[in-house]
C-alpha cells in the first residue's frame, strides 16, 4: 500500500518495507544450505518444506485479514484443529471423503462467522473474543473426539493428500497457493479489499465514508475461519490422523508469518504475497531446526524470539520512515 | 532587544519536495509574530523544526544565545518552546488533566520517593483551563470533547509548562468569534509578560487584530516581514496568492426568487437519539446555499450526522427531490446521493495509509458499489482519472496522485477530502467547516466551486464557525442554539451581530 515513487535515493526503511521478507527468505536458505548442504536442495527436502509450510501459509492468510483490520484472530489454531477433527470423524462415520472435507471447510467458515457475530454484537476487542473462543473450540475438540486421536481414513483421502504434482508440489501447497491467489485477487482488485485497507487505516473515517464496519468485520472473520478450515484438512491429511490437541500454538506461527511478511501490526498495511513468503519462512525455520536436530522445546524458544524481533523491526522501520 | 529565538537560513527537503528554502525567522520578547502563506508554503514545517519534530537539512537555530544545528523535542522544551500543532495532538483516551501534563508530570518527595503531585497538578490545571475558557471537569476524557474544546485543551497544554515562546499553528480553525476573542485576550496577557508568540492562521481578519509583525512565506521561500500596522489586508493577500480576491459569492437571484425554485432537499423534525439536536426542520431550494451558524455544541454537526446516518436518530424524515430517503448508515446515504465533508479531518476525514489517489477514489467507488459496499472491482484507469481531475480542479499541492495524503500540508489534506466527494458527484453535499485550514486564495476557489454546484442543481449545505464566511457565501443562514434551530436569516442582509444575538440568547 505504501508504494512511494517519489522517493529518490536509497533509504533502508523503504528498501526493507519492499524487500525485507524476500531478503529474510534468501538469507535463511543460504544459512541452511551452508549448515546442511544436502538437506536443502534435494528432491525430498523441497516437497517436505512445502508440505510443512502449507498449514502455516493457510493460517497466516486468515490471520492476515484480522491483522489488516488492526485486530487479531487467536482462535484460528483451535478452528484448524476442530475442523480437521470434524472431517476426520465424518470420514470414520463412512461419509465420502470429499464431502467430509467440504463439510470441514464450511465448519471453519461457520466458526469464523460465529467469531464475527460475537465481535460485532459485544463490541469487545477481538483479542478477548477470539482468546475465549480458542479455549471453547479446543474444549469442543476434546469432547467430540473423546480425547483420543482419530485415524484410519479412506484410501482415497490419504492418497490424494499425499500426492505431489511433478514430484515437488504437494497437494497441501497447491491448496495454499490457490487460496492465496484468490485472496490476493480479493485484496488487490476488488472494492471490498480496498475497503479493508481503509478500515485498517482509520476505522471511524471509513464509517463516515460509507464503509459498513460490521459487514466487513464479519467477512474478515469468515475468511479467517475458512482458511483455518482448509488448514485443518491439510493438517489431517499430512499427519493421516486427527489428534485431540492438533493445532495447539499454531496461531503464534500464523501471527509471526503475517508480521514477518510485512503486514503492519497497527493495521492497514500488508500484501498477500508477503504473507505467503512469511508462511514459507516459518516453514523453513521449522524444517531447518528439525534437520539440525534442535529439539521441539528449543524450537519454541527460537520462534518466540523471532516474533519479537520481527515486530520490533516493523515498528522501528515505520517510525524511522516518518522522520 | 535580543530576539528570544532566531532561525537562520533554514532549508528542509522531504523526498521529492523542498519544503523550506533558506528561511530566516526570529521571535522577539513581547511580540506576536504572524506567519502566513498559502497551503503548503512551509509554515508548519518551519515550526516543527523549532519544536524538534523535524530536523533541518541545513541552517541554524539560536535560542537564548545558544546555537544549534538542530533541536530535539527535548531540547526544544528545555529552551522554553511550546507548540500547539495544527493537527490536534491531544490523546483521546486520557482525561483533560492528564493531557495537560503528558510527559511533564509534577512530582514531590514522599517518604524519600518522588511521586506524582496531584494537588499541584490540579491547581495549575484550574488556572490554565480558566485562562483558555475550557469549562469542563478536568477529569473528563478528551475523547468526549467537541473539536473546539479539544483545541482549547491543546492550547492549555502549551501554557501549563510556562513556556517563553509559544507557537500557535492555526489555533482558531474551529473556534467561534467569542472564543477567538478570549484567546486573543490571553495572548495579550502573555505578551505583557514578555513571551514571544508565533501565530499562524488563514483567518485574515485575526492577523491585523493580534499581530505585531507579519512574515509571508510562498512555496517554501521567504517573501518578507512587515509591521502589521503598516500593511493592508489586500496587500497581504496579494503577497500570498499573487492576485486579488472577490468579496462575496451570493447567487445571482434574490432570495425571494430562489424561494420560488423547487425544494431539492428537506429535513423534517430530525431528533437524535442522544437529543443533542431536537426537532430540526429545514428546506433547501434549487440554486441556493444554505448556511448553518451557531456556537460550539449548538447541534449543527450533530444534526448533519443524524441526517447522514452516522449516528442514530430517534425521529425525523429526509427528502431528496420530494422522495423520502431511508438512511440507516452512511453507506445508504451515499448511495442515495448525499455526501458529507466531516469537520474533524484527522479523525474522520481520510485513511492515513492511503495515497491521494486511493483516498479520492473511496467515495466514487462506494457510490457505484453493490452488495452493501462489498461488491465491485477496482479500476486503475478510473482512479487515475478521478485523482488527476480533482488534484488539478482543487489545485492540490502534492507530488502526484501517488503521494501519501498524510504527508500533505493540512490545507491540502482538506482539499483531498473535498476531492473525494467531488469525484463521487453527490446530489446533496453537506460541508462541515469546508475551509478549515485553507488559505485565502483556495477558500475563494472553494466558494466559487460551491456556487457552481448550487447553480448546477446540486444541494449545498454549509456549516461554518466563521461568520464572515457564512455572510459572504450563503443565501440563507439557519442559526442554531442549544440543539434547536432558532431562526433563518437572509445572508445578504444579516449581520454578525444578528447571528451572535440569536446564537447566544434563548
Ligand atoms: N512528512 C512529510 N513528508 C513529505 N512532504 C512533506 C511532509 N511534511 C510536509 N511536507 C511537504 O512540505 C510542504 C510544506 O508543508 P507545510 O505543512 O509546512 O505547509 P503549511 O504552510 O503549514 O500549509 P497549511 O496552510 O496547508 O497548513 C508541503 O508541500 C508538504 O507536502
Ligand atoms: Mg500547516
Amino acid at each position: 500500500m505504501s508504494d512511494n515513487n517519489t522517493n529518490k535515493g536509497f533509504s533502508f526503511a523503504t528498501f526493507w518495507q519492499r524487500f525485507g521478507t524476500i531478503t529474510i527468505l534468501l538469507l535463511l536458505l543460504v544459512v541452511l544450505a551452508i549448515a546442511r548442504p544436502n538437506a536443502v536442495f534435494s528432491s525430498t527436502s523441497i516437497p517436505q518444506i512445502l508440505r510443512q509450510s502449507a498449514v502455516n501459509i493457510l493460517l497466516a492468510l486468515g490471520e492476515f485479514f484480522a491483522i489488516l483490520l488492526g485486530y487479531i484472530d487467536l482462535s484460528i489454531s483451535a478452528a484448524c484443529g476442530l475442523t480437521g477433527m470434524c472431517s476426520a470423524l465424518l470420514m470414520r462415520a463412512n461419509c465420502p471423503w470429499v464431502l467430509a472435507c467440504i463439510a470441514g471447510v464450511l465448519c471453519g467458515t461457520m466458526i469464523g462467522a460465529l467469531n464475527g457475530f460475537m465481535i460485532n454484537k459485544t463490541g469487545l476487542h477481538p483479542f478477548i473474543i477470539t482468546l475465549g473462543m480458542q479455549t471453547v473450540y479446543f474444549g469442543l475438540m476434546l469432547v467430540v473426539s473423546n480425547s483420543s486421536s482419530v485415524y484410519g481414513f479412506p484410501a482415497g483421502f490419504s492418497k490424494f493428500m499425499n500426492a505431489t504434482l511433478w514430484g515437488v508440489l504437494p497437494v497441501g501447497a497447491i491448496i495454499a497457493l490457490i487460496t492465496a491467489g484468490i485472496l490476493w485477487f480479493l485484496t488487490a482488485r476488488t472494492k471490498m479489499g480496498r475497503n479493508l485497507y481503509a478500515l485498517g487505516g482509520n476505522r471511524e473515517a471509513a464509517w463516515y465514508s460509507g464503509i459498513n464496519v460490521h459487514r466487513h468485520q464479519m467477512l474478515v472473520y469468515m475468511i479467517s475461519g475458512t482458511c483455518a478450515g482448509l488448514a485443518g484438512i491439510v493438517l489431517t491429511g499430512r499427519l493421516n490422523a486427527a489428534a485431540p490437541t492438533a493445532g495447539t500454538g499454531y496461531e503464534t506461527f500464523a501471527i509471526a508469518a503475517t508480521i514477518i511478511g510485512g503486514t503492519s501490526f497497527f493495521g492497514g498495511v500488508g500484501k498477500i504475497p508477503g504473507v505467503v513468503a512469511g508462511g514459507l519462512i516459518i516453514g523453513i525455520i521449522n524444517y531447518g531446526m528439525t534437520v539440525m536436530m534442535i529439539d521441539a522445546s528449543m524450537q519454541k524458544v527460537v520462534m518466540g524470539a523471532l516474533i519479537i524481533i520481527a515486530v520490533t523491526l516493523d515498528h522501528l522501520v515505520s517510525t524511522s520512515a516518518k522522520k | 532587544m535580543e530576539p528570544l529565538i532566531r532561525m537562520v537560513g533554514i532549508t528542509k527537503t522531504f523526498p521529492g519536495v523542498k519544503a523550506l528554502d533558506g528561511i530566516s525567522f526570529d521571535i522577539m520578547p513581547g511580540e506576536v509574530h504572524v506567519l502566513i502563506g498559502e497551503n503548503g508554503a512551509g509554515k508548519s514545517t518551519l515550526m516543527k523544526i523549532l519544536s524538534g519534530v523535524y530536523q533541518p537539512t541545513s541552517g541554524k537555530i539560536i535560542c537564548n544565545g545558544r546555537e544549534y544545528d538542530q533541536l530535539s523535542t527535548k531540547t526544544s522544551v528545555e529552551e522554553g518552546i511550546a507548540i500547539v500543532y495544527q493537527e490536534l495532538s491531544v490523546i483521546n483516551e486520557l482525561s483533560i488533566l492528564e493531557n495537560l501534563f503528558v510527559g511533564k508530570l509534577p512530582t514531590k518527595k514522599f517518604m524519600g520517593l518522588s511521586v506524582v503531585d496531584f494537588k499541584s497538578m490540579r491547581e495549575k490545571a484550574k488556572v490554565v483551563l480558566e485562562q483558555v475558557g475550557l469549562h469542563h471537569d478536568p477529569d473528563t476524557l478528551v475523547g468526549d470533547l467537541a473539536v473546539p474544546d479539544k483545541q482549547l485543551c491543546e492550547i492549555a497544554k502549551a501554557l501549563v509548562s510556562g513556556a517563553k515562546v509559544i507557537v500557535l499553528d492555526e489555533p482558531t480553525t474551529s473556534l467561534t468569534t467569542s472564543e477567538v476573542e478570549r484567546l486573543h485576550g490571553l495572548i495579550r496577557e502573555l505578551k505583557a509578560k514578555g513571551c514571544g508568540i508565533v501565530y499562524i492562521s488563514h483567518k485574515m481578519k485575526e492577523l491585523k487584530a493580534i499581530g505585531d509583525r507579519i512574515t509571508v512565506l510562498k512555496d517554501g521561500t521567504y517573501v518578507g516581514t512587515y509591521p502589521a500596522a503598516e500593511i493592508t489586508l489586500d496587500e497581504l493577500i496579494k503577497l500570498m496568492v499573487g492576485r486579488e480576491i472577490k468579496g462575496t459569492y451570493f447567487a445571482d437571484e434574490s432570495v425571494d426568487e430562489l424561494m420560488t425554485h423547487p425544494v431539492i432537499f428537506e429535513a423534517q423534525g430530525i431528533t437524535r437519539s442522544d437529543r443533542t439536536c431536537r426537532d430540526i426542520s429545514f428546506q433547501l431550494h434549487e440554486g441556493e446555499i444554505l448556511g448553518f451558524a451557531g456556537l460550539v455544541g449548538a447541534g449543527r454537526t450533530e444534526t448533519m450526522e443524524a441526517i447522514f446516518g452516522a449516528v442514530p436518530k430517534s425521529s425525523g424524515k429526509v427528502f431528496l427531490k420530494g422522495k423520502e430517503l431511508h438512511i440507516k448508515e452512511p453507506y445508504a446515504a451515499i448511495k442515495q446521493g448525499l455526501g458529507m465533508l466531516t469537520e474533524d479531518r484527522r479523525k474522520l476525514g481520510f485513511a492515513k495509509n492511503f495515497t491521494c489517489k486511493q483516498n479520492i477514489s473511496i467515495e466514487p467507488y462506494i457510490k457505484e458499489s453493490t452488495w452493501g459496499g462489498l461488491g465491485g472491482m477496482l479500476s486503475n484507469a478510473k482512479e487515475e482519472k478521478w485523482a488527476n481531475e480533482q488534484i488539478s480542479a482543487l489545485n492540490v499541492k502534492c507530488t502526484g496522485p501517488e503521494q501519501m495524503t498524510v504527508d500533505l500540508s493540512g490545507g491540502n489534506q482538506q482539499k483531498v477530502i473535498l476531492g473525494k466527494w467531488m469525484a463521487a458527484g453527490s446530489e446533496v453535499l453537506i460541508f462541515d467547516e469546508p475551509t478549515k485550514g485553507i488559505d485565502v486564495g483556495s477558500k475563494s476557489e472553494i466558494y466559487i466551486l460551491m456556487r457552481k454546484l448550487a447553480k448546477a442543481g446540486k444541494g449545498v449545505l454549509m456549516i461554518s464557525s466563521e461568520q464572515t464566511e457564512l455572510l459572504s457565501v450563503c443565501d440563507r443562514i439557519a442559526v442554531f442554539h442549544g440543539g434547536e434551530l432558532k431562526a433563518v436569516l437572509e445572508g445578504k442582509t444579516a449581520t454578525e451581530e444578528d447571528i451572535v444575538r440569536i446564537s447566544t440568547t434563548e
Side-chain angles (χ1 to χ4, degrees):
Chain A
M1 279 285 104
S2 57
D3 284 9
N4 200 341
N5 303 336
T6 58
N7 235 343
K8 299 193 182 76
F10 181 83
S11 127
F12 180 72
T14 38
F15 170 80
W16 189 257
Q17 269 169 356
R18 280 204 200 159
F19 305 113
T21 318
I22 289 297
T23 313
I24 299 179
L25 190 58
L26 292 177
L27 274 177
L28 264 178
L29 283 175
V30 170
V31 169
L32 200 59
I34 292 169
R36 287 283 184 284
N38 40 16
V40 186
F41 301 107
S42 70
S43 57
T44 50
S45 65
I46 292 177
Q48 185 59 26
I49 294 177
L50 290 176
R51 196 170 281 135
Q52 283 215 353
S53 306
V55 174
N56 288 329
I57 294 175
L58 281 168
L59 288 176
L61 286 170
E63 191 68 58
F64 166 77
F65 283 87
I67 293 184
L68 184 61
L69 284 196
Y71 288 158
I72 199 145
D73 187 348
L74 296 176
S75 73
I76 47 170
S77 50
C80 160
L82 185 57
T83 51
M85 180 60 75
C86 287
S87 337
L89 287 171
L90 281 173
M91 281 189 276
R92 291 286 304 178
N94 291 329
C95 168
W97 68 270
V98 178
L99 276 185
C101 290
I102 294 174
V105 175
L106 288 181
C107 167
T109 314
M110 301 221 319
I111 286 176
L114 181 61
N115 288 340
F117 176 79
M118 306 240 314
I119 289 163
N120 283 345
K121 277 293 166 224
T122 60
L124 289 174
H125 195 283
F127 183 93
I128 310 286
I129 300 284
T130 57
L131 182 67
M133 293 315 274
Q134 185 198 65
T135 315
V136 171
Y137 302 142
F138 271 132
L140 275 177
M141 237 167 108
L142 291 174
V143 173
V144 294
S145 67
N146 242 331
S147 303
S148 52
S149 289
V150 178
Y151 42 85
F153 304 134
F157 176 73
S158 310
K159 207 171 148 213
F160 176 74
M161 280 312 207
N162 287 303
T164 48
L165 186 62
W166 308 309
V168 283
L169 263 184
V171 167
I174 297 175
I175 295 179
L177 286 178
I178 292 175
T179 312
I182 295 172
L183 294 178
W184 172 82
F185 182 80
L186 197 81
T187 52
R189 291 281 183 269
T190 69
K191 286 183 189 168
M192 192 212 112
R194 178 64 63 81
N195 292 348
L196 294 180
Y197 284 95
L199 274 167
N202 188 341
R203 195 161 316 159
E204 265 184 286
W207 167 246
Y208 276 82
S209 323
I211 296 172
N212 186 306
V213 185
H214 283 180
R215 259 200 301 276
H216 285 83
Q217 269 173 200
M218 176 57 110
L219 218 101
V220 159
Y221 281 91
M222 282 171 71
I223 292 175
S224 165
T226 310
C227 288
L230 286 166
I233 307 296
V234 172
L235 182 68
T236 310
R238 193 181 88 203
L239 302 175
N240 222 344
T245 54
T248 311
Y250 281 15
E251 77 278 8
T252 322
F253 293 154
I255 295 168
T258 313
I259 304 292
I260 292 172
T263 314
S264 162
F265 206 64
F266 307 100
V269 178
K271 286 180 176 154
I272 293 285
V275 178
V276 173
L280 216 49
I281 287 173
I282 300 289
I284 291 173
I285 294 175
N286 273 333
Y287 175 78
M289 288 196 289
T290 312
V291 297
M292 285 177 177
M293 308 293 180
I294 298 174
D295 70 30
S297 330
M298 199 57 207
Q299 290 190 9
K300 283 194 176 153
V301 175
V302 174
M303 202 51 90
L306 274 173
I307 296 177
I308 293 176
I309 295 170
V311 179
T312 313
L313 254 177
D314 171 50
H315 177 69
L316 287 180
V317 167
S318 59
T319 41
S320 80
K322 277 198 195 99
K323 272 278 150 143
Chain B
M1 219 183 338
E2 263 299 292
L4 290 167
I5 303 253
R6 250 176 60 211
M7 303 177 81
V8 186
I10 301 283
T11 297
K12 172 74 186 171
T13 47
F14 290 109
V17 205
K18 196 168 201 176
L20 294 171
D21 189 3
I23 306 286
S24 296
F25 186 79
D26 59 5
I27 305 152
M28 305 296 285
E31 79 156 351
V32 176
H33 195 159
V34 167
L35 190 53
I36 61 170
E38 288 178 296
N39 295 130
K43 306 175 296 292
S44 300
T45 305
L46 187 65
M47 291 304 118
K48 282 182 186 161
I49 285 174
L50 194 57
S51 71
V53 172
Y54 291 147
Q55 274 64 52
T57 314
S58 66
K60 277 201 288 283
I61 304 154
I62 302 150
C63 317
N64 308 311
R66 285 179 288 274
E67 201 179 297
Y68 298 94
D69 287 333
Q70 55 178 62
L71 292 174
S72 67
T73 41
K74 191 157 162 274
T75 37
S76 169
V77 171
E78 282 162 6
E79 290 291 353
I81 299 163
I83 176 161
V84 174
Y85 292 107
Q86 177 177 11
E87 304 301 344
L88 294 171
S89 65
V90 281
I91 303 166
N92 285 329
E93 289 73 22
L94 297 182
S95 69
I96 297 181
L97 189 68
E98 288 162 330
N99 260 290
L100 293 183
F101 292 95
V102 166
K104 42 182 187 269
L105 290 172
T107 54
K108 65 176 179 194
K109 286 276 177 225
F110 179 72
M111 297 192 346
L113 295 170
S114 81
V115 297
V116 177
D117 184 355
F118 283 105
K119 196 158 157 257
S120 88
M121 227 167 113
R122 279 186 190 279
E123 277 161 12
K124 268 200 207 163
K126 210 176 144 215
V127 177
V128 288
L129 291 179
E130 189 61 38
Q131 278 180 329
V132 297
L134 183 58
H135 307 292
H136 279 274
D137 181 354
D139 293 321
T140 316
L141 275 190
V142 164
D144 294 338
L145 298 180
V147 181
D149 289 336
K150 283 187 191 169
Q151 205 158 42
L152 293 177
C153 182
E154 187 91 48
I155 295 169
K157 194 171 140 190
L159 296 179
V160 86
S161 56
K164 286 298 276 181
V165 174
I166 297 168
V167 178
L168 302 166
D169 193 351
E170 303 197 34
T172 59
T173 41
S174 49
L175 302 186
T176 50
T177 318
S178 61
E179 290 154 327
V180 172
E181 264 157 27
R182 178 195 288 276
L183 178 66
H184 284 185
L186 179 64
I187 290 176
R188 289 192 190 94
E189 273 173 40
L190 291 168
K191 248 172 81 170
K193 282 195 213 150
C195 291
I197 313 246
V198 182
Y199 194 95
I200 300 176
S201 177
H202 289 295
K203 297 188 179 175
M204 301 303 286
K205 269 198 177 164
E206 290 177 10
L207 308 181
K208 294 275 287 177
I210 193 72
D212 296 307
R213 281 192 298 161
I214 301 179
T215 291
V216 182
L217 298 185
K218 192 169 171 61
D219 290 332
T221 58
Y222 177 78
V223 176
T225 302
Y226 313 89
E230 290 165 26
I231 189 161
T232 64
L233 278 185
D234 289 338
E235 283 169 324
L236 278 176
I237 291 172
K238 226 168 166 176
L239 286 170
M240 265 174 75
V241 294
R243 62 191 158 81
E244 282 177 45
I245 301 284
K246 221 173 113 186
T248 59
Y249 305 84
F250 294 117
D252 300 331
E253 294 153 290
S254 73
V255 170
D256 288 337
E257 281 170 322
L258 284 171
M259 288 303 104
T260 62
H261 292 180
V263 173
I264 51 174
F265 183 74
E266 182 171 3
Q268 277 180 9
I270 304 287
T271 302
R272 244 169 87 143
S273 306
D274 61 8
R275 300 197 57 77
T276 44
C277 72
R278 294 176 302 278
D279 201 21
I280 308 290
S281 304
F282 59 83
Q283 291 186 327
L284 177 75
H285 296 260
E286 196 180 305
E288 76 164 336
I289 295 179
L290 180 58
F292 292 83
L295 296 180
V296 174
R300 299 167 298 166
T301 299
E302 288 79 357
T303 305
M304 296 308 166
E305 285 174 340
I307 290 177
F308 196 59
V311 292
K313 58 177 188 291
S314 61
S315 63
K317 287 180 177 171
V318 178
F319 299 87
L320 177 65
K321 297 188 171 147
K323 206 178 110 232
E324 187 176 350
L325 303 184
H326 297 280
I327 297 171
K328 285 236 160 54
E329 53 165 317
Y331 175 74
I334 295 166
K335 286 297 275 188
Q336 293 175 83
L338 302 193
M340 177 166 170
L341 190 79
T342 49
E343 175 184 13
D344 190 337
R345 80 171 150 246
R346 194 94 199 165
K347 193 165 146 225
L348 307 176
F350 62 91
K352 61 181 185 308
N353 52 336
F354 274 20
T355 61
C356 293
K357 184 167 103 179
Q358 291 167 330
N359 264 313
I360 290 173
S361 310
I362 291 179
E363 301 316 331
Y365 271 150
I366 290 282
K367 187 87 189 284
E368 46 178 59
S369 69
T370 50
W371 304 341
L374 297 175
M377 292 293 153
L378 301 178
S379 144
N380 194 42
K382 277 187 187 168
E383 282 181 37
E384 291 277 339
K385 180 173 148 279
W386 289 323
N388 287 324
E389 272 173 14
Q390 295 310 321
I391 287 172
S392 65
L394 298 169
N395 203 1
V396 180
K397 199 180 163 210
C398 60
T399 53
E402 303 293 344
Q403 195 178 11
M404 299 300 288
T405 312
V406 259
D407 287 344
L408 299 185
S409 81
N412 284 301
Q413 291 175 356
Q414 183 74 0
K415 290 183 185 176
V416 167
I417 302 171
L418 192 57
K420 62 181 194 176
W421 293 110
M422 302 313 297
S426 310
E427 283 305 306
V428 173
L429 266 173
I430 302 166
F431 292 89
D432 195 351
E433 307 284 358
T435 61
K436 183 171 169 180
I438 283 193
D439 69 54
V440 269
S442 315
K443 261 184 198 165
S444 153
E445 281 157 26
I446 288 176
Y447 302 146
I448 293 170
L449 183 88
M450 289 168 72
R451 186 48 72 193
K452 238 202 250 157
L453 287 174
K455 253 199 190 139
K458 311 269 181 193
V460 181
L461 305 169
M462 173 186 188
I463 299 181
S464 173
S465 54
E466 224 181 317
Q467 286 156 10
T468 40
E469 168 173 282
L470 291 173
L471 290 167
S472 56
V473 179
C474 304
D475 303 300
R476 290 187 305 145
I477 301 168
V479 188
F480 276 60
H481 176 77
E484 283 164 25
L485 200 166
K486 290 292 180 188
V488 180
L489 308 175
E490 209 167 288
K492 266 183 214 163
T493 53
T495 62
E496 292 202 29
E497 288 74 47
D498 295 336
I499 295 181
V500 171
R501 188 169 35 78
I502 300 169
S503 60
T504 51
T505 52
E506 287 299 319

